Amino acid sequence: MAAKKGLYNPDKLTNKKVNSKVGSSKGTTGQAVTSKSHSNQLFEVEVSYRNTSRAVSLLNSYRKAFKSPVEKLTTIKKGLEAHAISDLIEITGATQATVASILDLTEPTLRKHIKTGTELNTGLSEHILQLFQLFDKGMDTFGSLEEFKSWMSHESIGLTARPVDLLDTITGINMVMDELIRIDYGITV
């Protein structure tokens, strides 16, 4: 799958999608008529743009930790706030049950973390922070959150698995991150 490097700018994303997918057809009077698929495609582009913009906004508060291993370690040792779980659910678009499974928690424990708002332990903080960094990198590589999530749900030859199935461990997340770097450099299996 070809990466769309450099499309991370939401304005470029919208222009590219509209220009590549939108078309019109001539009606019986000779005037351009917008088809239903045209409006559906515009809607899909707008949803993709909004989802990507929202994800970028949510990730902004965590980006400081991505800058260096020392920053990341400091953030992990301090512990992320519980709302990081809600942010993860929103960014991934996954259900609470799916996120609980990825984080190796029961669903009631996940809901308890969200409800009480206490700081998360180091293991949970590291796992969530790694996932945030992965999604940030994935959006950069593919240009949008939707395209990255689509790639995640398909079998990757280089990983011999669906990337989404590897998110339950730090090693798996690192494998997916390495695959994204290979895609950036055009090295695909």
Side-chain angles (χ1 to χ4, degrees), residues 15-118:
N15 291 337
K16 180 172 182 4
K17 293 281 189 183
V18 170
N19 291 337
S20 67
K21 289 187 173 181
V22 173
S24 63
S25 60
K26 296 279 185 182
T28 55
T29 62
Q31 297 175 343
V33 177
T34 304
S35 66
K36 284 185 181 182
S37 65
H38 171 80
S39 62
N40 286 341
Q41 289 168 346
L42 281 177
F43 177 74
E44 289 171 10
V45 168
E46 183 62 28
V47 168
S48 178
Y49 172 79
R50 276 197 310 255
N51 289 345
T52 300
S53 295
R54 178 67 178 147
V56 168
S57 174
L58 289 171
L59 288 172
N60 277 338
S61 60
Y62 303 100
R63 281 204 176 98
K64 181 181 177 190
F66 304 162
K67 294 194 185 300
S68 76
V70 173
E71 288 285 341
K72 186 184 265 186
L73 186 60
T74 302
T75 303
I76 290 167
K77 293 229 179 213
K78 179 183 172 209
L80 293 176
E81 295 177 21
H83 71 81
I85 294 174
S86 298
D87 292 346
L88 182 63
I89 290 169
E90 187 170 350
I91 290 167
T92 62
T95 63
Q96 284 186 357
T98 302
V99 170
S101 175
I102 288 169
L103 297 175
D104 197 26
L105 299 172
T106 64
E107 204 172 338
T109 302
L110 181 99
R111 283 194 299 270
K112 180 181 165 193
H113 280 299
I114 293 170
K115 186 177 179 181
T116 62
T118 57

Side-chain angles (χ1 to χ4, degrees), residues 160-178:
T160 64
R162 293 182 329 150
V164 72
D165 294 335
L166 304 175
L167 302 182
D168 58 345
T169 65
I170 301 298
T171 301
I173 294 168
N174 288 336
M175 289 171 61
V176 175
M177 184 71 82
D178 290 345

